[in-house]
């Protein structure tokens, strides 16, 4: 077991070094960029996780694990409901609703809804490019998922998620089906966890046009988290690889100065893609947040900077039922 733990640590360290090295070599446009459908699936959910820069695959232990790593719900003992809202760029709004039901037979279940609303667009025609009097139309993305997770021996947990994905723009729509799988393992020291997930393994059933379909973009995540001894600080790091993008590193820390109060800071190398040569580049990829818990409630807030693209604000309420 000691050799296995040592091997896991060395492997994660190598992955981290490779990821950091790639970000330092410079960023070029990936050859498959823009070739996949349902890009909203790659945008993380939950204020706590995004306050940590998206380094959450090994931290996931509440209802937001339904998005990050389904194995994270395996050890949950209480029913939990999570409600998350995001004020995204321009007129884009999104939300996430997740519910976890622990079962006596050891198999914990979960349901989730992830949605994006893109606001209203002015309808135009070639004859009337201004669209005066033509009205507006909207666009929306939805993903409904069902998850199951099971604790195995030695603390190892595994989980899976089945998703139905739907997108609509005006009178045009498309849909897809996908699977997520994940694993979570706590090391014997009781303060370190490693996690792994693969998301969006599936296919597009129908496209906006009958003669064209785009594939999904699977996402690979591997990470580790460690809670320091004698200090109320949690550190986490993830290696993140979408099928249509380069390797990226997410990292974050959570300080708990009081029993019911949390401070978070994170960074994602995805911010390197948002830099355009202005002063706001200095904040690209950085995030931070706070959390407050009271009895069965926990309220989290997170701020993320997308440089010149704008700022993103997230709020999440977790409730133990």
């Amino acid at each position: 077991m000691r050799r296995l733990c040592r091997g896991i640590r060395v492997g994660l360290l190598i992955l981290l070094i490779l990821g950091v090295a790639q970000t330092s070599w410079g960023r070029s446009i990936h050859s498959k960029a823009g070739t996949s459908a349902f890009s909203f699936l790659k945008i993380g959910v939950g204020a706590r996780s995004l306050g940590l820069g998206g380094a959450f695959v090994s931290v996931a232990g509440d209802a937001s694990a339904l998005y990050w790593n389904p194995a994270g719900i395996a050890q949950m003992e209480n029913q939990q409901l999570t409600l998350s809202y995001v004020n995204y760029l321009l007129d884009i709004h999104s939300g996430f609703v997740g519910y976890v039901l622990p079962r006596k037979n050891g198999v914990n279940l979960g349901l989730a809804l992830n949605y994006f609303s893109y606001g209203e667009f002015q309808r135009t025609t070639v004859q009337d490019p201004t669209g005066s009097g033509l009205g507006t139309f909207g666009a929306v993305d939805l993903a409904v998922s069902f998850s199951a997770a099971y604790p195995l021996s030695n603390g190892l947990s595994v989980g899976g998620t089945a998703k139905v994905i739907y997108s609509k723009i005006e009178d045009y729509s498309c849909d897809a089906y996908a699977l997520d799988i994940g694993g979570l393992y706590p090391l014997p020291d009781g303060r370190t966890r490693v996690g792994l997930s693969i998301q969006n393994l599936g296919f597009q059933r129908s496209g906006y046009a009958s003669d064209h379909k785009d594939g999904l973009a699977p996402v690979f995540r591997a990470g580790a988290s460690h809670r320091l001894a004698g200090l109320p600080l949690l550190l986490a790091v993830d290696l993140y690889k979408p099928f249509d993008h380069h390797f990226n590193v997410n990292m974050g820390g959570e300080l708990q100065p009081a029993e019911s109060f949390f401070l978070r800071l994170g960074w994602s190398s995805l911010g390197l893609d948002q830099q355009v040569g202005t002063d706001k580049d200095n904040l690209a990829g950085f995030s931070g947040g706070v959390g407050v818990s009271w009895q069965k409630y926990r309220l989290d807030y997170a701020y993320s900077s997308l440089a010149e693209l704008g700022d993103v604000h997230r709020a999440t309420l977790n409730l133990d039922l």
Side-chain angles (χ1 to χ4, degrees):
M1 179 61 69
R2 291 182 179 178
R3 290 183 178 180
L4 174 61
C5 295
R6 189 179 299 113
I8 291 174
R9 288 170 176 160
V10 172
L12 288 172
L13 179 60
I14 292 173
L15 290 175
L16 176 60
I17 293 173
L18 289 174
V20 172
Q22 179 154 348
T23 63
S24 65
W25 292 336
R27 311 278 286 193
S28 58
I29 298 177
H30 195 278
S31 61
K32 296 186 180 296
T35 62
S36 62
F38 308 104
S39 296
F40 80 102
L41 295 173
K42 294 182 288 184
I43 299 176
V45 306
R48 184 189 181 205
S49 53
L50 274 301
L52 291 170
F56 208 68
V57 70
S58 65
V59 180
D62 55 27
S64 65
L66 296 171
Y67 171 85
W68 296 95
N69 184 354
I73 70 170
Q75 303 292 342
M76 294 179 62
E77 299 179 352
N78 300 318
Q79 298 182 60
Q80 188 176 99
L81 176 69
T82 185
L83 305 170
S84 186
Y85 172 76
V86 183
N87 182 12
Y88 211 62
L89 305 175
L90 301 176
D91 294 327
I92 301 174
H93 301 272
S94 73
F96 180 83
V97 179
Y99 170 72
V100 175
L101 175 64
R103 301 291 300 275
K104 293 182 179 180
N105 61 3
V107 178
N108 286 359
L109 305 177
L111 292 171
L113 169 67
N114 187 13
Y115 81 89
F116 269 73
S117 174
Y118 298 93
E120 293 186 342
F121 299 89
Q122 181 65 52
R123 185 179 285 107
T124 63
T125 65
V126 175
Q127 294 78 18
D128 186 1
T130 64
S132 177
L134 297 180
T136 61
F137 64 95
V140 65
D141 287 324
L142 295 170
V144 179
S145 62
F146 171 79
S147 301
Y150 185 77
L152 301 176
S153 60
N154 299 321
L156 176 65
S157 300
V158 295
T161 297
K163 294 188 286 193
V164 178
I165 310 157
Y166 176 79
S167 182
K168 182 176 181 180
I169 301 177
E170 198 181 25
D171 296 328
Y172 301 92
S173 63
C174 59
D175 60 89
Y177 300 94
L179 295 174
D180 299 348
I181 55 175
L184 193 60
Y185 178 70
L187 272 62
D189 63 7
R191 294 180 287 111
T192 307
R193 308 206 312 176
V194 294
L196 172 72
S197 73
I198 304 176
Q199 301 170 295
N200 308 327
L201 296 169
F203 63 95
Q204 184 174 3
R205 189 189 69 87
S206 64
Y208 288 119
S210 59
D211 58 348
H212 178 78
K213 297 180 183 179
D214 292 309
L216 296 179
V219 175
F220 169 84
R221 300 180 190 271
S225 58
H226 179 76
R227 192 172 296 277
L228 275 63
L231 186 66
L233 179 62
L234 173 70
L235 300 175
V237 60
D238 280 10
L239 183 65
Y240 166 78
K241 176 65 175 74
F243 173 77
D244 56 354
H245 202 278
H246 302 291
F247 276 96
N248 287 277
V249 175
N250 301 336
M251 58 185 67
E254 179 181 71
L255 178 67
Q256 188 177 359
E259 182 178 356
S260 60
F261 185 65
F262 305 86
L263 294 172
R264 305 180 184 106
L265 183 66
W267 179 79
S268 172
S269 63
L270 285 169
L272 298 175
D273 297 329
Q274 299 154 8
Q275 297 179 353
V276 293
T278 67
D279 292 340
K280 291 186 177 181
D281 286 354
N282 297 327
L283 293 176
F286 281 95
S287 60
V290 297
V292 178
S293 62
W294 178 72
Q295 295 184 358
K296 296 183 178 182
Y297 302 89
R298 193 185 77 224
L299 179 63
D300 297 310
Y301 165 80
Y303 162 85
S304 303
S305 173
L306 302 183
E308 284 291 344
L309 292 176
D311 304 320
V312 178
H313 302 273
R314 292 178 168 88
T316 300
L317 175 65
N318 281 342
L319 171 62
D320 289 329
L321 303 175

